[in-house]
Amino acid sequence: MTDPLDDDLNQMDEMYDVPQKNNNNEEVMGDLYLGDKLGNIDDAVDHAQLSIDKRDRERAEWVAMRRQPRNKLQKIVAYVIPYGGLLSSGLNLASSSIGAGIISLASAVETSGIIMAVIYMVIIGILTVYSFTLLGIAGKRTGIRNYEEIVEALMGKGGGLFLAFCLWFLSFFAEVSYALSLHDIMIQFLENSPNIPKYLRTTSGINLLTSMLWLVFMFPLCIPREINTLRYFSFVGISFIIFFVICMIIHASQGGLKHGIRGDLVLFQHGNKAVMGMANFIFSFICQLNCFEVYDEMYKPTVRRLTMGASIGVVLCFCLYFLSGFIGYCDFGPAVADKSVLKMYNPIAEPLMGVAYVGVMFKLCVGYGLHSIPVRDSIYYFAGTNVRRVPFHWHVVCVICFTTVSLICGLYIPRVNLVYGLVGGFSGGFIGFIFPAYMFMYTGDWTLQSVGWFHYFMTYLLLIVGVIAVVWGTAATIYGEVISH
């Protein structure tokens, strides 16, 4: 079994004499460390900058080669969604968070209250975009395009390993949530279908059909090595999610909102319950885990273009999240508490919603593939290698192992909101807020005079919100789970 990407990578290695081991962090940061020890820090900085410039030229040549269409169809599609463009970058970032996250937003709005939910989304959305600015600065200054390796270069091996664990924890359980959501959709179809074999309504029958769909549609999207390979699927998947939100609006106009706004809606929740929804919102906006894959494959990569791409993704997420959360809560009221919105509709009795469910299934498959990238990258980081150096057959074996485990977990974990709360509060706080803030500080020259009031204030705000998310978000999720039992 061979991968066409291997031939392209070998060609690039020969063209630029790229070493077989990815030593970006050791080459660049090692020069600075050695220069500091020997007293030649200026020469070391110059040599490090030359290394960074060389890597940037290699990436630019690589992206230019990948942007060349190989047939007429690719030429037409590339005109709309070019490889490494702002739109494809924004769609890939949005697609990695929209999907399983959007189906829990109605429950999160019920938990927090309508106004508090909007406040959460605005703050988290703004800080998410700003975190990409800090991540881009760290990537530009170090010349490295790997989240774990940048943290290792700036904060030591322990920091890199802890981040790799956070990335694996969030991404793996995000994959579990996608498999679980696919399972929920199958339940809604099968339990509401009158003319199907009795066995298919049993637990084992539903698990069998879910596993078959996973094998045919989800697993194959985890094999590609490049994130831009999935940009076409991301575009189609997000289009289906938009259609699903439109169907939610139509259903609400004929149901919960038919006679106006319900009287049992809450604007502000009180006590621990108001905090419990925060982790769900953080999980829904987290897309930093694919930041450096997007940055590495971006055409004319700059911090500004990376931030613009992130802004496209976050604005799209915010619009869809607000509509789905608000409309879902207005439609079903307190009944949606602690439930996936997928469990609230009948796709058989409502044909339009049935079509939307099929679209959501497609989007779940795309999101599953996108979240497999940080999972496999974390595994390769622990093994001391990276995806471009692992032989293709071993890459496939690795993907088979962790995706199979995620499927098994998805079939037997009872509620998807529990997954969102735990991984969103803990891993989301570190990945999306705490590490980007520290990375900016550790790149050097961190003073109020050098970075200015705006970056100084926003970086500390990012750090404080991350700590709140980790402590209060995780604790509130565990507290809510204990109280419910």
Side-chain angles (χ1 to χ4, degrees), residues 259-316:
H259 303 290
I261 299 294
R262 303 169 61 106
D264 54 358
L265 303 182
V266 178
L267 298 180
F268 287 95
Q269 292 285 7
H270 303 283
N272 289 320
K273 186 174 183 180
V275 184
M276 289 167 58
M278 177 176 61
N280 282 37
F281 289 112
I282 292 175
F283 176 86
S284 299
F285 276 96
I286 282 293
C287 50
Q288 293 91 336
L289 62 174
N290 288 324
C291 169
F292 290 104
E293 284 78 10
V294 169
Y295 197 20
D296 192 36
E297 299 172 19
M298 179 174 280
Y299 177 63
K300 295 181 179 180
T302 62
V303 175
R304 179 183 177 85
R305 282 176 61 82
L306 178 64
T307 304
M308 290 174 63
S311 300
I312 293 173
V314 170
V315 169
L316 180 59

Side-chain angles (χ1 to χ4, degrees), residues 9 29-30 57 62 115 144 147 156 195 226 243 259 349 355 399:
L9 288 169
M29 303 307 291
R57 287 193 300 270
W62 169 255
I115 295 180
I144 306 171
Y147 204 158
N195 301 316
E226 288 188 322
F243 178 70
H259 303 290
V355 175
V399 170

Side-chain angles (χ1 to χ4, degrees), residues 464-483:
I464 292 170
V465 171
V467 173
I468 294 174
V470 171
V471 177
W472 290 101
T474 306
T477 300
I478 297 174
Y479 173 82
E481 186 66 18
V482 172
I483 292 300

Side-chain angles (χ1 to χ4, degrees), residues 127-128 130-132 134-135 147-148 151 159-160 162-172 174 282-283 285-292 371 374-375 378 422-439 462 466-467 469-470:
L127 292 180
T128 298
Y130 182 69
S131 71
F132 275 87
L134 302 190
L135 291 171
Y147 204 158
E148 299 96 316
V151 171
F162 182 72
L163 174 63
F165 169 77
C166 291
L167 287 169
W168 173 87
F169 185 66
L170 185 141
S171 302
F172 176 78
I282 292 175
F283 176 86
F285 276 96
I286 282 293
C287 50
Q288 293 91 336
L289 62 174
N290 288 324
C291 169
F292 290 104
H371 276 89
V375 176
S378 299
L422 289 176
V423 302
F426 181 78
S427 291
F430 278 108
I431 296 169
F433 304 106
I434 294 177
F435 272 113
Y438 275 129
M439 288 164 67
L462 195 69
V467 173
V470 171

Side-chain angles (χ1 to χ4, degrees), residues 101-124:
I102 201 169
I103 64 180
S104 70
L105 263 296
S107 174
V109 171
E110 189 278 333
T111 301
S112 306
I114 296 175
I115 295 180
M116 197 65 221
V118 173
I119 294 174
Y120 277 144
M121 286 191 286
V122 169
I123 294 176
I124 294 172

Side-chain angles (χ1 to χ4, degrees), residues 298-344:
M298 179 174 280
Y299 177 63
K300 295 181 179 180
T302 62
V303 175
R304 179 183 177 85
R305 282 176 61 82
L306 178 64
T307 304
M308 290 174 63
S311 300
I312 293 173
V314 170
V315 169
L316 180 59
C317 288
F318 179 88
C319 295
L320 294 177
Y321 288 164
F322 174 76
L323 288 174
S324 65
F326 177 73
I327 294 299
Y329 182 38
C330 289
D331 195 1
F332 301 107
V336 79
D338 205 28
K339 290 182 181 178
S340 164
V341 75
L342 294 175
K343 295 182 178 181
M344 307 303 295

Side-chain angles (χ1 to χ4, degrees), residues 7-51:
D7 298 333
D8 293 337
L9 288 169
N10 293 333
Q11 179 182 352
M12 290 294 293
D13 289 346
E14 294 172 1
M15 185 183 306
Y16 296 105
D17 191 26
V18 179
Q20 289 301 306
K21 185 178 179 182
N22 185 12
N23 289 325
N24 290 2
N25 54 343
E26 292 151 354
E27 179 181 341
V28 177
M29 303 307 291
D31 288 337
L32 295 175
Y33 176 80
L34 182 61
D36 186 38
K37 289 293 184 182
L38 298 179
N40 300 321
I41 189 64
D42 292 337
D43 292 340
V45 170
D46 291 341
H47 191 276
Q49 187 60 50
L50 289 174
S51 299

